[in-house]
Amino acid sequence: MIKKEVQFTVDVFKSIDDLMPADLSLLSAARETTQAAYAPYSNFLVGAVAQLSNGAIVKGTNQENASYPVGLCAERVLLSAISSQFPNMAIQTMAISYHHLKGKSDHPISPCGMCRQSLVEYEQRVKQSFRIILSGMTGEVYIIEKATDLLPFPFSSSDLASGR
Ligand code: THU
């Protein structure tokens, strides 16, 4: 038996003011984009913005529904928009923020498990990882080097490959 250790590094910044200009601008856009969320049930507005390798900026927000499970997270709305408008285009950096209308928005949140699965598949599909910036409307900012860091041992297309 051997023990395998899985670890990853998070860069922690005190506030948005400590970021380099490109990251500051992307996180500002994510914070602003929370306003476009449709989240009347949770009051939890999430904004995700990506800078693609061709320089394009694409936005996504969470979109809820009276039939709760129909709702979509901002991250998967964003990936669907990217995939539809710029098929197979690599992402350089994605910034994710949120505005909790009935609570605090002062610390980073990280993508739910379902979104992590989608983020990882996007990296695998275009064969390029992307950085993820996480923060609320105020407070600390986390930067993660690649989506795969958030989901060790992912299920992926290679697991579906036929044995023949
Ligand atoms: N949500 C996201 O959009 N992204 C996340 O990473 C976590 C949760 C949304 C789903 C739902 O509309 C609301 O936030 C509360 O869970």
Side-chain angles (χ1 to χ4, degrees), residues 21-146:
D23 289 346
L24 188 149
S25 150
L26 207 62
L27 177 55
S28 299
R31 286 179 174 177
E32 204 179 302
T33 301
T34 59
Q35 291 172 31
Y38 176 65
Y41 305 104
S42 70
N43 288 297
F44 196 85
L45 317 180
V46 184
V49 178
Q51 164 127 45
L52 309 187
S53 55
N54 66 352
I57 302 282
V58 185
K59 300 173 181 181
T61 55
N62 54 331
Q63 299 295 317
E64 298 184 348
N65 190 281
S67 174
Y68 291 2
V70 175
L72 287 168
C73 293
E75 294 89 334
R76 276 173 298 132
V77 169
L78 173 58
L79 288 177
S80 302
I82 294 170
S83 212
S84 307
Q85 293 168 52
F86 301 97
N88 297 310
M89 183 69 64
I91 300 170
Q92 261 172 10
T93 307
M94 180 181 295
I96 304 163
S97 185
Y98 69 98
H99 184 185
H100 189 359
L101 297 177
K102 301 260 165 83
K104 290 185 173 174
S105 313
D106 60 358
H107 64 278
I109 56 151
S110 60
C112 78
M114 210 187 280
C115 288
R116 291 176 196 212
Q117 183 72 26
S118 291
L119 293 164
V120 165
E121 180 138 343
Y122 200 90
E123 285 190 339
Q124 291 176 345
R125 170 183 165 187
V126 302
K127 299 185 176 58
Q128 194 180 304
S129 61
F130 53 88
R131 299 163 67 245
I132 302 183
I133 303 173
L134 304 172
S135 185
M137 298 302 281
T138 59
E140 283 188 336
V141 181
Y142 292 174
I143 299 188
I144 294 158
E145 257 338 285
K146 51 186 189 302

